[in-house]
Amino acid sequence: MLEQLKEDVLKANKLLESSGLVKLTWGNVSGIERESGHVVIKPSGVSYKEMTVDDLVVLDLEGNIIEGSLKPSSDTATHLYLYRAFPELGGITHTHSLFATTLCQHGRELPCSGTTHADHFCGSVPLIRALNEDEVEDDYEKNTGKVIVEHFNQHEIKALEVPAALLHYHAPFTWGKTPMESFKNSVALESCAEMAVRSLQSQELPVIPAHILKKHYQRKHGSDAYYGQ
Amino acid sequence: MLEQLKEDVLKANKLLESSGLVKLTWGNVSGIERESGHVVIKPSGVSYKEMTVDDLVVLDLEGNIIEGSLKPSSDTATHLYLYRAFPELGGITHTHSLFATTLCQHGRELPCSGTTHADHFCGSVPLIRALNEDEVEDDYEKNTGKVIVEHFNQHEIKALEVPAALLHYHAPFTWGKTPMESFKNSVALESCAEMAVRSLQSQELPVIPAHILKKHYQRKHGSDAYYGQ
Amino acid sequence: MLEQLKEDVLKANKLLESSGLVKLTWGNVSGIERESGHVVIKPSGVSYKEMTVDDLVVLDLEGNIIEGSLKPSSDTATHLYLYRAFPELGGITHTHSLFATTLCQHGRELPCSGTTHADHFCGSVPLIRALNEDEVEDDYEKNTGKVIVEHFNQHEIKALEVPAALLHYHAPFTWGKTPMESFKNSVALESCAEMAVRSLQSQELPVIPAHILKKHYQRKHGSDAYYGQ
Amino acid sequence: MLEQLKEDVLKANKLLESSGLVKLTWGNVSGIERESGHVVIKPSGVSYKEMTVDDLVVLDLEGNIIEGSLKPSSDTATHLYLYRAFPELGGITHTHSLFATTLCQHGRELPCSGTTHADHFCGSVPLIRALNEDEVEDDYEKNTGKVIVEHFNQHEIKALEVPAALLHYHAPFTWGKTPMESFKNSVALESCAEMAVRSLQSQELPVIPAHILKKHYQRKHGSDAYYGQ
C-alpha cells in the first residue's frame, strides 16, 4: 500500500543528502495520504544512500505503527502534530541545513529581502520560541510541533503561504502540498538564509539553554536513548 | 530550424545547474538569430537535467510563439526587451546566483576591485533601481528590461563593455555576443560578487517593498499564476 | 591480523577526503584493538585515493612498529598518548578542516549554540593551550597529546562526553568508541564550527608563535624532516 | 621531447579545475627542464577538460617558441621572469582562486596564523605592490615577474621557503621544485587565505587603479587582444 507515496518520500529523503542540505543522517522527510490518515516517514539513523522503500515506516496520525520493522525518525511526533493541526499539508521536511540553522541558533526570523524569498514565502519566515524546561522533559518532540502551530495561529499566518519555521536553538522545518514541495521549500529557505547569514554579524556566539543541551544529548546517548535503530 | 542555436542555448542552460549558479529551476538562458529575429529560450519550470532541445521555445521579438509546445520562461519579456534595445546582444542569462543576488538585495553596485573583474567588465556593474508599484502591476517583466536599458542609456554605458546588471531586490542579468558568452559572464560576475560579499558587512537585513513581494508570490502561487507549465 | 579494524580505519581515512574535511594529505584516522593494545594508523604523506589496507601501519601503544613497511602518520605519538590516557577510546581522527581550524587559530573554544552540537558534544568543545618552546622542541607530538589530556583531567571533562578538542594555533582532534564514530564527530565538529565562524568577526588575523612556525616547517622541510615517506 | 614534464604539467593544469581553484580558464601551470632551459606551459584560453599533451607550448627562457601550434598562456612572460630570477624553481602555478584573490584585492599580506600555513610557508606570504602606469603599458606581464622578484630580493625572502606571492589588485602566484609542488602550494595558500578571509572584515570594497582596469580589459577584448587562441 501507499507505493507512490513511499517512492516520493524515499526520493525526497535521498535528495536531502545529494543536495548538500544534510550531513550524516541529520534530516528527514515524511508524506501523508489524507484519505487513510497514514504517514510515511524516514527510519531513524539509517543512511540515505542505503535506504530502500522497505525501510520506510508507516504510522497513523496517533503514532501507531502500521507497517515497517525499523524505528521511525525520532522527530516523528513533530511531523504528526503538524499534520493534525494543518490539514492542507501533504509533506514535511526537517533538516539541520547550516545557514538556516545558524539563524535558528541566533534567534532571528528571516525577513523577505528579495524575490528569491518572495517566490516561495509570502512574508517573513518566523522564529519559533524555544521550549521551556517542562515542555522539553515531557513529550519533547510533540511539544516542538505544538509551539510551531501556536505561533502560526497566534500570528494568523497561513501554513501554505509561509511553509517554513525556524526553531530557536534547533533547526528549520518546511512543508508543502507534497513531500517534494516540502523539500524544495527547504532548498529555498537555505538559499535565502545563506544570503542573510553572509550579511549579518554578531560578535558573540549564542549559548543553548542547559535543559535543551541535556535533552538532545540524552536522546542520542543517554541510558534511554531513542535515536537510531 | 535554428538547430545550432538551440544546441547552444540548451548547453548553456544545463551549465547553469552543473556550475552551481542555479538551484531548482531558478535561471534561464536565451539566444537570438538576428537575421530572422527569432529568440530561443528555456521553457518555464522544467528541470535542467531532463530538458531536451524539443522543450525549448522559439519566439519572435514581439513575443509571438513560433515553435514549441511549452510555456516560455516567465522572464521572457525581459529578454525580448533587452534584445530589442541592444542589437549587439546574441545571448542573455538570468540567474539567482547567491553572491550576486546578495548584492542585489543590499542595493549595492559592484565596483571593479581587481583584474578578475577587469578581464570581463570595463567598469562597475551597475545597480538597477527597483520598479515602482505601477511598473510592477502593469507588465512587470517588460518593465524589468526597461529600467535596465534606461540605466545603461542614461549613464552612457555600452552593453557589451559592461555585460551585466544587478537588479535591486531581485537578481542579476548578464549578456554577451553568444549564449555561451552570456553564461561565462554570469560565472565571472558571481566570482567577483563572491569576493565582494565576503568583504562586506551590513548589520541589518534589507526588506523588499511589499508590492514586489506580492507580485512574485502571486505570479507563482496566485489564482493567475503564470510560472511553470 | 586486525583485518576488520584495518578495513574500518581505511574506510574512515578515505571518507576524510570525500567528505571535504581534508585537502591533500592533511588528516589521519587511527583505531585500536584494546585486547592486544595494537593501533592501526594511516601512513604519512600517502594520498587517500591510492591508499590500500596494506599501506596501513600497526604499532603497539609504546610506538613500536608491529606491521607495515611505510612510516606511520607524523602525528602518531599524539594518537598513542590519547589511547593510553583514555582507555574508553576506540578511534581517533585528526584533520585541518577549515572552520574548526579557524577557531583553533583564533584561540576560541566552541560553546554549544544549538541542538546540532548537543546531539554530539555534551558541553563546550575546549580550546587546548599552545605548547611552550620546550614542549615543542622535545617530543612535540607526544606533548600535543599531553596538553589535551591535562586539560580534560583538570576540567573534569569526560572524554566520551565531549569527544573533541581544538588545539590553539593548530587544528582539531576528535575521537569515539570506533574509528567511524571519531570520523562522524569530526563532521559534527566542522558543521558546528562552520556555523560559529560565519557568526564571528575579528578584525585582526592571529599570528602563530615563532617556535611553532619553525617546528612545523622543519618537520616537513628541514634537514631532519620526518613527514611523508 | 620532455614527455614526462609535459605529462606533469598537463596533470597539474587539469587539477586546477577539479580541485575548485579555478573557474573557466583562469589559471595556468608551467614546468621547466633546467638542463635545456625549456619551459612547458598551458596554451591560452583552452578548457582544462579538453586539453591534451599536444596543446602544451614549449618555449626557451627568452620566450622563443620551440614546440606547439597554439599561443602560450598570456601570463607566460611572468613565468619566464621568475624562472630566470630563481634558478631553484621547477614549476609555477597562477590562479585567481577566490580567497587568495580577495586578499590581493584588499592589499593584505597573509601572516602565518597556524600550522596549516607553517607546514608550507616559512613566514608571511608577501603582498607585492601594484604596477605603476608605465610598468603596465610597457611589457605588463614581464614587469609582473619583476616586482615579485624585487620584493623577494629586497626583503631577503628565499623563494623556496616562501613559495607564494599575492599581487595587489590581481591574484596569487605559487611555485615549487616541480609543477605538482607548485600546485600543492596553491591549494595550501587558498586554504590559509580562506581561513583569513573568513576572519577579516572591511567595510569598503577596494577599487582597482584605472590603468590596470584598462590594460586587463584590453588584453582580452581590445583591438590588439592577445588572450586566447
Side-chain angles (χ1 to χ4, degrees):
Chain A
M1 57 188 255
L2 303 172
E3 297 316 316
Q4 184 57 50
L5 183 60
K6 284 181 187 167
E7 289 294 346
D8 294 348
V9 169
L10 183 71
K11 183 181 176 186
N13 270 293
K14 286 175 180 283
L15 280 169
L16 288 182
E17 185 175 54
S18 57
S19 67
L21 288 184
V22 161
K23 292 179 195 294
L24 302 178
T25 57
W26 303 346
N28 40 73
V29 183
S30 70
I32 187 169
E33 190 199 53
R34 283 289 171 183
E35 267 179 51
S36 60
H38 288 172
V39 172
V40 178
I41 195 164
K42 174 184 169 288
S44 182
V46 172
S47 95
Y48 303 98
K49 277 214 182 63
E50 294 162 15
M51 201 183 297
T52 68
V53 156
D54 295 333
D55 295 331
L56 298 175
V57 185
V58 183
L59 308 101
D60 66 22
L61 276 168
E62 302 313 312
N64 302 302
I65 292 188
I66 307 292
E67 204 186 313
S69 56
L70 299 177
K71 282 171 56 182
S73 164
S74 49
D75 298 307
T76 298
T78 311
H79 289 244
L80 298 181
Y81 197 97
L82 293 174
Y83 283 128
R84 290 196 302 265
F86 299 138
E88 60 274 39
L89 267 52
I92 298 174
T93 294
H94 171 51
T95 79
H96 285 224
S97 65
L98 294 187
F99 288 97
T101 303
T102 300
L103 292 178
C104 292
Q105 294 191 169
H106 281 276
R108 285 185 181 259
E109 66 163 28
L110 180 66
C112 177
S113 298
T115 61
T116 317
H117 185 121
D119 283 337
H120 292 84
F121 310 106
C122 192
S124 296
V125 175
L127 176 77
I128 309 300
R129 74 166 171 84
L131 301 186
N132 64 34
E133 211 157 336
D134 287 348
E135 291 165 334
V136 164
E137 278 317 299
D138 178 16
D139 231 338
Y140 173 64
E141 289 81 10
K142 180 181 159 189
N143 286 330
T144 299
K146 192 159 164 264
V147 290
I148 297 174
V149 171
E150 279 174 3
H151 186 104
F152 274 67
N153 289 342
Q154 240 162 49
H155 295 77
E156 300 185 357
I157 308 171
K158 289 183 185 164
L160 283 187
E161 281 188 16
V162 181
L166 297 163
L167 278 64
H168 199 175
Y169 296 120
H170 189 172
F173 276 81
T174 63
W175 46 79
K177 288 184 203 153
T178 63
M180 182 54 62
E181 196 178 298
S182 75
F183 164 76
K184 287 187 177 178
N185 284 331
S186 276
V187 174
L189 177 62
E190 181 67 358
S191 293
C192 294
E194 181 170 342
M195 293 192 277
V197 168
R198 292 194 191 286
S199 308
L200 288 171
Q201 216 53 43
S202 102
Q203 290 297 329
E204 288 305 314
L205 291 177
V207 179
I208 202 174
H211 61 282
I212 303 184
L213 165 56
K214 200 180 135 203
K215 173 68 185 177
H216 260 261
Y217 191 79
Q218 293 300 330
R219 75 174 197 165
K220 225 170 165 171
H221 306 281
S223 51
D224 297 320
Y226 51 94
Y227 179 99
Q229 298 302 320
Chain B
M1 57 188 253
L2 303 172
E3 296 316 317
Q4 185 56 49
L5 183 61
K6 284 180 187 169
E7 289 293 347
D8 294 349
V9 169
L10 183 71
K11 184 180 176 186
N13 270 293
K14 285 175 179 285
L15 280 169
L16 288 182
E17 185 175 54
S18 57
S19 68
L21 288 184
V22 161
K23 292 179 195 295
L24 301 178
T25 57
W26 302 347
N28 40 73
V29 182
S30 70
I32 187 169
E33 189 200 53
R34 282 290 173 184
E35 268 179 51
S36 60
H38 287 172
V39 172
V40 177
I41 196 164
K42 174 184 170 289
S44 182
V46 172
S47 96
Y48 302 98
K49 278 214 182 62
E50 295 161 15
M51 202 182 297
T52 69
V53 156
D54 296 332
D55 295 331
L56 299 175
V57 184
V58 183
L59 308 101
D60 65 22
L61 276 168
E62 302 313 313
N64 302 302
I65 292 188
I66 307 292
E67 204 186 314
S69 56
L70 299 177
K71 281 170 59 182
S73 163
S74 48
D75 297 307
T76 298
T78 311
H79 289 244
L80 298 182
Y81 197 97
L82 293 174
Y83 282 129
R84 290 196 301 265
F86 300 139
E88 60 274 39
L89 267 53
I92 298 174
T93 295
H94 171 52
T95 79
H96 285 225
S97 65
L98 294 187
F99 288 98
T101 303
T102 300
L103 291 178
C104 292
Q105 294 192 169
H106 281 276
R108 283 185 181 261
E109 66 162 29
L110 180 66
C112 177
S113 297
T115 61
T116 317
H117 185 121
D119 282 337
H120 292 84
F121 309 106
C122 193
S124 297
V125 175
L127 176 76
I128 309 300
R129 74 165 171 84
L131 301 186
N132 64 34
E133 211 158 337
D134 287 348
E135 290 164 336
V136 164
E137 278 316 300
D138 178 16
D139 230 338
Y140 173 63
E141 289 80 10
K142 180 181 160 189
N143 286 331
T144 299
K146 192 158 164 265
V147 289
I148 297 174
V149 171
E150 279 174 3
H151 186 103
F152 273 67
N153 289 342
Q154 239 161 51
H155 296 77
E156 300 186 357
I157 308 171
K158 289 182 185 164
L160 283 186
E161 281 188 16
V162 181
L166 297 163
L167 278 65
H168 199 175
Y169 295 120
H170 188 171
F173 277 81
T174 63
W175 46 78
K177 286 184 204 153
T178 63
M180 182 55 62
E181 196 179 298
S182 75
F183 164 76
K184 288 187 177 178
N185 285 331
S186 276
V187 174
L189 177 62
E190 181 67 359
S191 293
C192 294
E194 181 171 343
M195 293 192 277
V197 167
R198 292 194 192 286
S199 308
L200 288 172
Q201 216 52 43
S202 101
Q203 291 296 331
E204 289 303 315
L205 292 177
V207 179
I208 201 174
H211 61 282
I212 303 183
L213 165 55
K214 199 179 136 204
K215 173 67 185 178
H216 260 261
Y217 191 78
Q218 293 300 330
R219 75 174 195 163
K220 227 171 165 171
H221 306 281
S223 51
D224 298 320
Y226 52 94
Y227 179 99
Q229 298 303 319
Chain C
M1 58 187 255
L2 301 173
E3 297 315 317
Q4 184 57 49
L5 183 60
K6 283 181 189 169
E7 290 292 347
D8 294 349
V9 169
L10 183 71
K11 184 180 176 187
N13 270 293
K14 286 175 180 284
L15 280 169
L16 288 182
E17 185 175 52
S18 57
S19 67
L21 288 183
V22 160
K23 292 178 195 296
L24 301 178
T25 58
W26 302 346
N28 41 72
V29 182
S30 70
I32 187 169
E33 190 200 53
R34 283 290 173 183
E35 268 180 51
S36 60
H38 287 174
V39 172
V40 178
I41 196 164
K42 173 185 169 287
S44 183
V46 171
S47 97
Y48 302 98
K49 278 214 181 62
E50 295 161 14
M51 202 183 297
T52 69
V53 156
D54 296 333
D55 295 332
L56 298 175
V57 184
V58 183
L59 308 100
D60 66 21
L61 276 167
E62 303 314 313
N64 302 302
I65 291 187
I66 308 292
E67 205 186 314
S69 56
L70 298 177
K71 282 171 57 180
S73 164
S74 49
D75 298 307
T76 297
T78 311
H79 289 244
L80 297 181
Y81 197 98
L82 293 174
Y83 283 128
R84 290 196 302 267
F86 300 138
E88 60 274 39
L89 268 49
I92 297 175
T93 295
H94 171 51
T95 79
H96 284 225
S97 66
L98 294 187
F99 287 98
T101 303
T102 300
L103 291 178
C104 292
Q105 294 191 170
H106 281 276
R108 285 186 180 259
E109 66 163 30
L110 181 66
C112 177
S113 298
T115 61
T116 317
H117 184 121
D119 283 337
H120 292 84
F121 310 106
C122 193
S124 296
V125 175
L127 176 76
I128 310 300
R129 74 165 171 83
L131 301 186
N132 64 35
E133 211 158 337
D134 287 349
E135 291 165 334
V136 164
E137 278 318 299
D138 178 14
D139 230 338
Y140 172 64
E141 289 81 9
K142 180 181 161 189
N143 287 331
T144 298
K146 191 158 165 266
V147 290
I148 297 174
V149 171
E150 279 173 3
H151 186 104
F152 273 67
N153 289 342
Q154 239 161 50
H155 295 77
E156 300 185 359
I157 309 171
K158 289 182 185 164
L160 282 186
E161 281 187 15
V162 181
L166 296 164
L167 278 64
H168 199 175
Y169 295 118
H170 189 171
F173 276 81
T174 63
W175 47 78
K177 288 184 203 153
T178 63
M180 182 55 62
E181 196 178 298
S182 75
F183 164 76
K184 287 186 178 179
N185 285 331
S186 276
V187 174
L189 178 61
E190 181 67 359
S191 293
C192 294
E194 180 170 343
M195 293 193 276
V197 168
R198 292 195 191 287
S199 307
L200 288 172
Q201 216 53 42
S202 103
Q203 291 298 330
E204 289 304 314
L205 292 177
V207 178
I208 201 174
H211 60 282
I212 303 183
L213 164 57
K214 199 180 136 205
K215 173 68 184 177
H216 260 261
Y217 191 79
Q218 293 299 331
R219 76 175 194 162
K220 226 169 166 172
H221 306 279
S223 51
D224 297 321
Y226 52 94
Y227 179 98
Q229 298 303 319
Chain D
M1 57 188 256
L2 303 171
E3 297 315 318
Q4 185 57 50
L5 183 61
K6 284 180 189 170
E7 290 293 347
D8 295 348
V9 169
L10 184 70
K11 183 180 177 188
N13 270 293
K14 286 175 179 285
L15 280 169
L16 288 182
E17 185 175 52
S18 57
S19 68
L21 288 184
V22 160
K23 291 179 195 296
L24 301 179
T25 57
W26 302 346
N28 40 73
V29 182
S30 70
I32 187 169
E33 189 200 53
R34 283 290 173 185
E35 267 179 51
S36 60
H38 288 173
V39 172
V40 178
I41 196 164
K42 173 185 169 289
S44 182
V46 171
S47 96
Y48 302 99
K49 279 214 181 62
E50 294 161 14
M51 202 183 297
T52 69
V53 156
D54 296 332
D55 295 331
L56 299 174
V57 184
V58 183
L59 309 99
D60 65 22
L61 276 167
E62 303 313 312
N64 302 303
I65 292 187
I66 307 293
E67 204 185 313
S69 56
L70 299 177
K71 281 170 58 182
S73 163
S74 49
D75 297 307
T76 297
T78 311
H79 289 244
L80 298 181
Y81 197 97
L82 293 173
Y83 283 128
R84 290 196 302 266
F86 300 138
E88 61 273 39
L89 267 51
I92 298 175
T93 295
H94 171 52
T95 79
H96 284 225
S97 66
L98 293 188
F99 287 98
T101 302
T102 300
L103 291 178
C104 292
Q105 293 191 169
H106 281 276
R108 284 184 181 263
E109 67 163 29
L110 180 66
C112 178
S113 298
T115 61
T116 318
H117 184 121
D119 283 337
H120 292 85
F121 310 106
C122 193
S124 297
V125 175
L127 176 76
I128 309 300
R129 73 165 171 85
L131 301 187
N132 63 34
E133 211 158 337
D134 287 347
E135 290 165 336
V136 164
E137 278 317 300
D138 178 16
D139 231 338
Y140 172 64
E141 289 81 10
K142 180 181 160 189
N143 286 331
T144 298
K146 192 158 166 264
V147 290
I148 297 174
V149 171
E150 278 174 3
H151 185 104
F152 274 67
N153 289 343
Q154 238 162 50
H155 295 77
E156 299 185 359
I157 308 171
K158 289 181 186 166
L160 282 186
E161 281 188 16
V162 181
L166 297 163
L167 278 64
H168 199 175
Y169 296 119
H170 188 170
F173 276 81
T174 63
W175 46 80
K177 288 184 204 153
T178 63
M180 182 56 61
E181 196 179 298
S182 74
F183 164 75
K184 287 186 178 179
N185 284 331
S186 277
V187 174
L189 177 62
E190 181 67 358
S191 293
C192 295
E194 181 170 343
M195 293 192 277
V197 168
R198 292 195 191 285
S199 308
L200 288 172
Q201 217 53 44
S202 102
Q203 292 296 330
E204 290 303 314
L205 292 178
V207 179
I208 202 175
H211 60 282
I212 303 183
L213 165 55
K214 200 180 135 203
K215 174 67 185 178
H216 260 261
Y217 191 79
Q218 293 299 330
R219 76 174 195 164
K220 228 171 165 171
H221 306 281
S223 51
D224 297 320
Y226 52 94
Y227 180 99
Q229 298 304 318

